[in-house]
Amino acid sequence: MSFTGKYELQFQENFEPFMKAIGLPEEQIQKGKDIKSVSEIVQDGKKFNITVTTGSKVLHQQFTIGEECELEMLSGEKVKTIVQMEGNNRLIADLKGIKSITELDGDTITLVSVQKD
């Protein structure tokens, strides 16, 4: 199963409490809560290129499954992590106390972010 495709944000749950918990400023939370994002993913074997466009902000992420990489968090901070694949449809990464799980189901991607503490 390939993650390659273009995905538009349909809905988000608990956005504001989560963003507050990870320390995003209130102004940034308010700006981002109603903006729909579009994620474009290109998968080439174990290599991923992801472009997320949210309003005028464009975030580029690149990683290879099982290898250390540097990913940018919503706060703009860059953190080192290793993205793992579970089965053929789930990506898991730990980003400085946040567990990120991206799951592909047909043409729908679900992203769950959980603050560990």
Side-chain angles (χ1 to χ4, degrees):
M1 184 175 289
S2 176
F3 281 80
T4 296
K6 201 171 208 176
Y7 305 92
E8 184 176 338
L9 176 67
Q10 299 298 310
F11 67 93
Q12 47 196 8
E13 296 176 15
N14 299 317
F15 177 81
E16 288 183 66
F18 180 78
M19 293 299 151
K20 286 179 185 175
I22 64 170
L24 243 51
E26 184 66 30
E27 181 181 312
Q28 195 171 350
I29 294 169
Q30 292 308 312
K31 281 183 183 177
K33 72 177 186 174
D34 295 321
I35 296 176
K36 297 292 185 188
S37 65
V38 175
S39 299
E40 187 167 357
I41 301 173
V42 177
Q43 179 184 357
D44 182 11
K46 291 184 173 189
K47 294 182 180 190
F48 284 76
N49 286 303
I50 301 174
T51 302
V52 180
T53 304
T54 306
S56 61
K57 182 174 171 107
V58 179
L59 179 66
H60 298 283
Q61 308 278 33
Q62 293 182 20
F63 60 88
T64 299
I65 299 298
E67 295 181 12
E68 186 176 70
C69 62
E70 188 173 78
L71 298 179
E72 186 174 341
M73 298 180 60
L74 292 171
S75 63
E77 180 181 4
K78 294 184 180 183
V79 296
K80 291 187 186 258
T81 189
I82 297 174
V83 180
Q84 300 292 343
M85 184 173 273
E86 188 176 276
N88 63 353
N89 69 327
R90 185 180 267 198
L91 302 173
I92 300 172
D94 288 313
L95 302 166
K96 195 176 176 183
I98 298 170
K99 185 173 186 176
S100 173
I101 305 163
T102 304
E103 186 169 358
L104 179 64
D105 183 12
D107 62 353
T108 301
I109 282 189
T110 302
L111 170 62
V112 177
S113 297
V114 179
Q115 188 176 22
K116 289 183 180 181
D117 57 344

